[in-house]
Amino acid sequence: YKIVIFFLLINAIIADEAYNTELVSQLIYNESVNDCWGYTSEDGIEYAIIGTETGTSIVEVNSDSLIEKSFILGGQSIWRDIKTWGSYIYIGTENNSGGIQIVSMQDPNNPQLVNTIDVVGNSHNLMIRDGYLYIMGSSDIAYLIILSLDDPENPEQIGLWNEEYLHDICIDNTILYGCGIYSGAMFAIDISDPYNPHTINYWDGVPSAHACWVSENGE
């Protein structure tokens, strides 16, 4: 079956909280798609990064068109998670031997796969914050794996946390909040020393804790 990715022009009418949308372009994939992330080049061109069953599609977003610039092949999987740091894209997958693919966007017209790090085989979710890559949902090493991006093409594993499977995380300064989807618990983890993350608190009663975010006031 076909999955259609829509590019919408959104016009927000704040006065009555209504939203008008107009379809201006679409890109059709002949396989299922999953995650979507964004990247903006140094010259201000925006790109949509789309995970598919067989790899990752990198699409230039214009005011009236969508142009696929590159397709990065990856292992067969219904799930990928994508994040960016600097001029690099990081791609995780639940394929057991997929690792973490690193794609250079230094030439946005010709994205290149520059490395596949095998610190993990599979993963469910990625987060990047302040020069660190956080990997979740891996069964290989630990439930939370922290890598330094000082060398963005060759990340270095520096920290592990292994108390419970985390489905997703968010970070507020030096506190990482993690979702324990299977136990219905939320964790507050101190990452002030990324080499030694440790739990400072947790609370339960959050059924199927899936994803989280911190409000602007830190609450």
Side-chain angles (χ1 to χ4, degrees):
Y1 55 94
K2 294 183 177 181
I3 301 295
V4 180
I5 298 299
F6 294 102
F7 173 38
L8 298 176
L9 176 63
I10 299 177
N11 176 26
I13 304 175
I14 299 176
D16 58 3
E17 297 182 347
Y19 296 91
N20 295 324
T21 59
E22 177 188 356
L23 175 64
V24 296
S25 187
Q26 62 183 6
L27 185 63
I28 298 174
Y29 293 91
N30 291 316
E31 58 180 329
S32 65
V33 299
N34 38 73
D35 197 26
C36 176
W37 200 249
Y39 173 80
T40 303
S41 65
E42 291 183 355
D43 55 2
I45 298 175
E46 296 183 344
Y47 297 83
I49 311 166
I50 311 296
T52 79
E53 281 187 292
T54 59
T56 304
S57 173
I58 300 173
V59 180
E60 182 179 316
V61 179
N62 299 303
S63 61
D64 59 354
S65 65
L66 300 172
I67 304 170
E68 186 176 65
K69 307 298 288 189
S70 181
F71 188 86
I72 306 299
L73 285 172
Q76 182 80 26
S77 178
I78 63 170
W79 184 250
R80 298 180 201 283
D81 197 68
I82 302 161
K83 297 295 185 295
T84 60
W85 176 254
S87 57
Y88 293 91
I89 300 169
Y90 297 83
I91 306 163
T93 174
E94 290 184 340
N95 181 289
N96 287 331
S97 57
I100 305 295
Q101 291 181 310
I102 304 174
V103 175
S104 172
M105 291 290 287
Q106 292 176 336
D107 179 2
N109 289 312
N110 187 29
Q112 293 290 319
L113 177 65
V114 294
N115 196 6
T116 301
I117 56 175
D118 58 4
V119 63
V120 298
N122 68 299
S123 61
H124 181 74
N125 218 333
L126 304 178
M127 175 70 78
I128 296 178
R129 179 74 176 265
D130 299 330
Y132 295 102
L133 170 63
Y134 299 84
I135 302 174
M136 293 142 277
S138 174
S139 58
D140 298 327
I141 300 174
Y143 293 128
L144 177 67
I145 304 163
I146 305 174
L147 287 78
S148 168
L149 296 179
D150 284 345
D151 181 349
E153 292 189 12
N154 298 281
E156 177 190 2
Q157 177 189 315
I158 59 171
L160 300 174
W161 181 91
N162 204 29
E163 293 184 27
E164 185 173 330
Y165 180 96
L166 298 179
H167 182 268
D168 197 9
I169 65 170
C170 68
I171 297 171
D172 182 37
N173 294 317
T174 60
I175 304 300
L176 179 151
Y177 295 96
C179 299
I181 191 170
Y182 295 127
S183 67
M186 293 290 301
F187 292 85
I189 302 168
D190 187 333
I191 54 169
S192 55
D193 177 6
Y195 289 82
N196 183 35
H198 60 278
T199 301
I200 55 176
N201 197 6
Y202 75 94
W203 61 99
D204 54 19
V206 187
S208 301
H210 183 273
C212 59
W213 204 255
V214 178
S215 61
E216 292 183 3
N217 63 1
E219 297 296 330

